[in-house]
Amino acid sequence: MSKKQILVDHADYRITLLQAGDRPADRVIVSFGGQPSDLSDVGFGSQFALENGWDNVFVAQRHGTQYQGLPLEAFRDAVRPVVAGRDCVTYGASLGGYCALYYGGAIDARILAAAPMLPAWKPLKIRRYADLPVTHRPLSEAPRARRAPVVIFDPERVPDQFLVTHMVQPAYPQARLVRIPFAGHTVLMTLAELRCLKPLIKGIVERDEIIAFDPPSPRHSVWHLENARKQMRADRDRAIRHLRASLEIKPTKQAFSMLASALLGESRTDELRRLLAEGSASGNKLLVPVPAVQRQLAAAGLLA
């Protein structure tokens, strides 16, 4: 059982040291919770680190703050004494991936970021987060690690590619980019489904090596889902075919909702009614549209 020590407990953030064994390990993984997370002692990356015998420093945010309440200096002062003299890797996905990059430089860590994303970053122009102030300095003006970070992402996801191009690469021109087309924003979940996540991450952490692996293909549901996303405006009929193929391989709420919305947009009402009836009859909770699509369907008189 790991030993736990809370390094800092603040209203906006919590930083916790989890020690895998009786003595500090030679390697420590500093991991960050994603956007839906809240103040917690453990989270993303904790179990993976500990089961490999690595210590873990888990950094948590107050829900909805996107770590804007955690100054670089406060992070550095809390974490640097703990990781000094050890092989240190900052690791996160999505918002946590951004944090791995932003805070990793302050402790000169090796950095592993998956689909880095700061939704409140103003160049992204995401209206939902327009009122959330960004207190962090630009990544290119923050302390930078001496070693080039590894960044894993799907270049077909426009916001992800935009952030890598306009935030990450200006700060780290030599970043080691692992592009996985049609893997989606939740690229680590896709890699887990492909059964190559653990070998890939362990290769990077233990040997600083990016191993070869087979990317998503037409055999995988996410490949069709992400192709559908790309085709939705240009060729909605093709997008619909991809969504049906995705659902045949693996039912997901996202693909089902996108398909329902696409059929509604194309006025293919009979197909849409059959889809909704089949989803309802299946009893599968994944074959129910998300609330936003349910509202669209209700407005069209297609939901009771």
Side-chain angles (χ1 to χ4, degrees), residues 64-107:
T65 62
Q66 297 188 25
Y67 290 88
Q68 298 307 301
L70 174 56
L72 268 176
E73 295 75 17
F75 169 84
R76 180 198 62 209
D77 292 347
V79 175
R80 189 161 61 181
V82 173
V83 304
R86 302 204 266 174
D87 180 29
C88 176
V89 181
T90 55
Y91 177 40
S94 192
L95 176 62
Y98 158 78
C99 290
L101 289 157
Y102 184 71
Y103 294 105
I107 54 174

Side-chain angles (χ1 to χ4, degrees), residues 112-195:
L112 173 51
M117 178 56 54
L118 176 60
W121 189 46
K122 302 314 175 189
L124 288 170
K125 299 179 180 178
I126 301 177
R127 285 184 290 177
R128 190 186 322 169
Y129 307 110
D131 295 332
L132 179 60
V134 175
T135 62
H136 289 181
R137 64 190 77 171
L139 186 63
S140 58
E141 298 176 12
R144 276 169 276 179
R146 289 174 293 172
R147 289 152 292 192
V150 176
V151 181
I152 305 170
F153 71 108
D154 178 354
E156 296 292 340
R157 290 299 298 260
V158 173
D160 294 20
Q161 177 65 65
F162 182 88
L163 187 137
V164 169
T165 300
H166 297 284
M167 180 194 286
V168 178
Q169 290 187 287
Y172 289 103
Q174 303 304 317
R176 300 156 68 187
L177 304 181
V178 182
R179 299 177 175 89
I180 311 179
F182 304 113
H185 180 64
T186 53
V187 60
L188 295 187
M189 293 177 63
T190 299
L191 291 171
E193 187 175 331
L194 301 180
R195 299 185 179 181

